[in-house]
Amino acid sequence: MISNSNRHVIPSMLAPSPIDSAVSGSLQRAQGRAHVAFACPSGPAGERGTRLADLYQSGCAKIRLPRTRGERQAVLLNTAGGIAGGDRLDYSAAWGGGTQAVVTSQAAERVYRSLGDAGEVSNRLIVGDGAQACWLPQETIVFNGARLDRQLEADLSSSASLLAVEAVVLGRAAMGESVDCVSLRDRWRVRRDGRLVFADDTRLEGDARAILAGPATGAGARAFATILQASDDAQARIDEARAVLARCRSERLCCGASAWAGTGADAGGGVLVVRMLSADARVLRDAIMTFLQDWRGTDLPRVWHC
């Protein structure tokens, strides 16, 4: 914010000049790709444990592997400092048979006002037999005028387990920000042994405040999240999920859970989905953390508490 007492302000700082799509297309764009893979080889004494099998990073996409005493963790970073129109990020993670690891992000991702093109984020997960995968990035903050096209593709083997979360915050209420112009597309596709078991699309185009004003969208929610559990016991844990949500629910948070079994003669596993809505991003984040910690029976990665 520029103070009224500052009389030495360059005019262009107060009101950016128009930039058409032809000019914006010539601006520098951030590109990044990162991949991490885990395996579970036998140790010298026959012990088996999750180990790093592969690591690749290029451009602004980076991965860090903190030392932990418990489960293995990989932390995603975007050194570009956020996502602008035309940026492209590709992340992928693979869990080999029998592995157990968490992939998270260093901080909340930010999506800034676009001058034309959408920022694109592609997340690809591959989970092998008996592996327990956790995809737990922190929330994405979407600013006014932002354009984001994001997709999550997950391929699970018959006995794999996946816990995934994605959360979106529309502006920062503490900074007095509102989002009355946005383009957000978020696409989930989860398959088990090639069979589609979960498909979900979220689309916000235009004035987010008006779109989310109805009772079905929290009567003015500006933060929302989806949590998915795909595993053999997912449907059987629906009562447990609702009990945890009962501890999270308040006048400032709408939430619910549903679950179903796999379909088809050869389909395995089930799916459980939790939805959360709130007008307060802090309330939503606290609820996500409470649910994930109770659901997993262990603390979240340290970056969630920074």
Side-chain angles (χ1 to χ4, degrees):
M1 182 178 294
I2 299 174
S3 170
N4 291 332
S5 63
N6 188 343
R7 301 182 184 276
H8 302 284
V9 178
I10 300 173
S12 62
M13 293 176 62
L14 296 175
S17 59
I19 301 178
D20 61 25
S21 59
V23 175
S24 67
S26 65
L27 298 178
Q28 183 178 8
R29 300 304 180 189
Q31 304 285 332
R33 182 185 173 204
H35 171 73
V36 63
F38 302 97
C40 196
S42 297
E47 308 92 345
R48 293 180 62 83
T50 301
R51 304 283 191 273
L52 177 67
D54 192 18
L55 178 66
Y56 173 87
Q57 52 191 10
S58 66
C60 62
K62 308 297 181 185
I63 296 177
R64 296 295 179 263
L65 302 167
R67 293 182 179 180
T68 57
R69 294 185 178 180
E71 61 192 357
R72 294 283 177 174
Q73 298 178 10
V75 180
L76 308 177
L77 291 80
N78 175 14
T79 58
I83 299 173
D87 291 352
R88 170 79 187 191
L89 292 174
D90 291 275
Y91 295 113
S92 61
W95 287 258
T99 59
Q100 182 176 354
V102 176
V103 178
T104 184
S105 61
Q106 182 192 36
E109 185 61 274
R110 291 166 170 79
V111 185
Y112 298 108
R113 181 176 67 92
S114 171
L115 300 176
D117 297 331
E120 297 182 21
V121 178
S122 175
N123 301 312
R124 178 74 187 278
L125 314 179
I126 300 174
V127 190
D129 285 332
Q132 298 181 42
C134 290
W135 173 259
L136 308 179
Q138 299 187 63
E139 65 269 27
T140 298
I141 302 174
V142 179
F143 292 94
N144 197 41
R147 296 176 62 86
L148 175 66
D149 189 347
R150 182 173 65 182
Q151 61 179 352
L152 172 66
E153 298 271 352
D155 291 290
L156 317 179
S157 68
S158 59
S159 58
S161 171
L162 170 66
L163 174 63
V165 61
E166 291 286 5
V168 173
V169 176
L170 299 171
R172 299 171 299 181
M175 302 296 290
E177 298 169 353
S178 62
V179 178
D180 54 22
C181 179
V182 69
S183 175
L184 170 66
R185 297 186 178 186
D186 203 4
R187 177 179 183 269
W188 290 53
R189 294 293 184 270
V190 180
R191 296 176 175 83
R192 185 179 294 278
D193 285 339
R195 182 190 297 272
L196 185 66
V197 297
F198 180 72
D200 188 65
D201 286 81
T202 299
R203 179 180 178 185
L204 289 178
E205 293 281 351
D207 187 344
R209 296 176 301 177
I211 295 171
L212 299 174
T217 52
R222 58 185 300 157
F224 49 91
T226 296
I227 301 173
L228 175 138
Q229 173 78 50
S231 59
D232 287 339
D233 61 350
Q235 186 181 31
R237 298 183 67 185
I238 183 63
D239 291 338
E240 178 186 348
R242 289 172 176 166
V244 176
L245 288 177
R247 297 193 289 273
C248 301
R249 188 177 288 109
S250 69
E251 294 181 355
R252 304 173 69 187
L253 179 78
C254 297
C255 55
S258 58
W260 58 92
T263 59
D266 57 347
V271 178
L272 182 145
V273 177
V274 171
R275 307 283 194 183
M276 295 182 177
L277 290 163
S278 180
D280 190 318
R282 182 73 251 184
V283 171
L284 180 79
R285 181 179 173 87
D286 289 344
I288 293 173
M289 293 180 68
T290 296
F291 181 87
L292 291 176
Q293 289 175 167
D294 287 2
W295 184 255
R296 299 174 67 232
T298 186
D299 200 5
L300 286 168
R302 185 177 296 178
V303 291
W304 273 80
H305 299 278
C306 296

